[in-house]
Amino acid sequence: MQPSDRKAEDSGPDAEFTRFVAARWRALTHTAYLLTGDFHEAEDLVQTTLAKVYPHWRRLDPERAEHYVRRALVNTNRSRYRRRRITHLLLPSLPDTGPVHDDGAGAGGVDVYDALARELADLPERQRAVVVLRYCEDLSVEEVADVLGCSVGTVKSQASRALAKLRSRSSLTRTYPASRPAEAR
């Protein structure tokens, strides 16, 4: 291979796709984990999504590529969710081991992401997608509506319902006390 061939190879659409995947893999997997509630399913979801996006990569606007991939991730998850025939029982840890903690471990040794994923798994699919995109991915209401292909009002109502459900039964509120003492409220 000639040096000029290598330079051309490093600057083509395949190289751009490879750089995008390398830079965004962790964030996409995190989003997928919050959507699925299972790390292995999240990795499969990201891989499936990227395999679907790859043939279209050459035609994508670089400024909108992340938006396109995020929308494809949510849509692929929606399809996966609809086709699911077997109910998966999601366990926080293997039966013969204790919980695994990473740098996201919070007060009392409870992993925030695991607790959040368990709570999100109980939400309907659209509410879960709204919460993940709006509050975990920090997208605006308009951006979430665009990704999900729905109205701004739908995003707001789904977010409101989801947050009410999470507040009513969330282990997160019991694990992490409010910033103000109860008597100061």
Side-chain angles (χ1 to χ4, degrees), residues 71-121:
R71 184 172 189 157
L73 183 73
V74 171
N75 288 339
T76 302
N77 183 58
R78 191 176 293 159
S79 296
R80 178 197 67 83
Y81 189 78
R82 287 180 186 149
R83 283 189 298 242
R84 187 189 298 183
R85 302 274 189 250
I86 300 171
T87 303
H88 293 275
L89 177 61
L90 301 176
L91 298 174
S93 62
L94 295 174
D96 60 342
T97 63
V100 177
H101 303 289
D102 63 8
D103 47 328
V110 176
D111 190 359
V112 177
Y113 295 118
D114 285 342
L116 179 60
R118 282 192 303 275
E119 292 297 330
L120 289 172

Side-chain angles (χ1 to χ4, degrees), residues 4-113:
S4 61
D5 293 339
R6 186 172 294 138
K7 188 176 258 188
E9 184 179 296
D10 290 343
S11 64
D14 289 342
E16 290 173 19
F17 183 77
T18 302
R19 282 192 296 274
F20 175 83
V21 170
R24 300 301 300 153
W25 176 262
R26 185 174 176 143
L28 291 171
T29 305
H30 180 258
T31 300
Y33 174 70
L34 293 174
L35 289 171
T36 63
D38 180 79
F39 182 73
H40 299 293
E41 283 187 38
E43 284 188 331
D44 289 346
L45 177 60
V46 173
Q47 289 176 6
T48 302
T49 301
L50 292 173
K52 288 180 177 181
V53 166
Y54 178 75
H56 308 285
W57 190 257
R58 295 175 193 270
R59 295 184 302 238
L60 291 180
D61 173 15
E63 297 291 321
R64 303 269 302 155
E66 177 139 6
H67 172 78
Y68 184 86
V69 172
R70 189 180 287 125
R71 184 172 189 157
L73 183 73
V74 171
N75 288 339
T76 302
N77 183 58
R78 191 176 293 159
S79 296
R80 178 197 67 83
Y81 189 78
R82 287 180 186 149
R83 283 189 298 242
R84 187 189 298 183
R85 302 274 189 250
I86 300 171
T87 303
H88 293 275
L89 177 61
L90 301 176
L91 298 174
S93 62
L94 295 174
D96 60 342
T97 63
V100 177
H101 303 289
D102 63 8
D103 47 328
V110 176
D111 190 359
V112 177
Y113 295 118

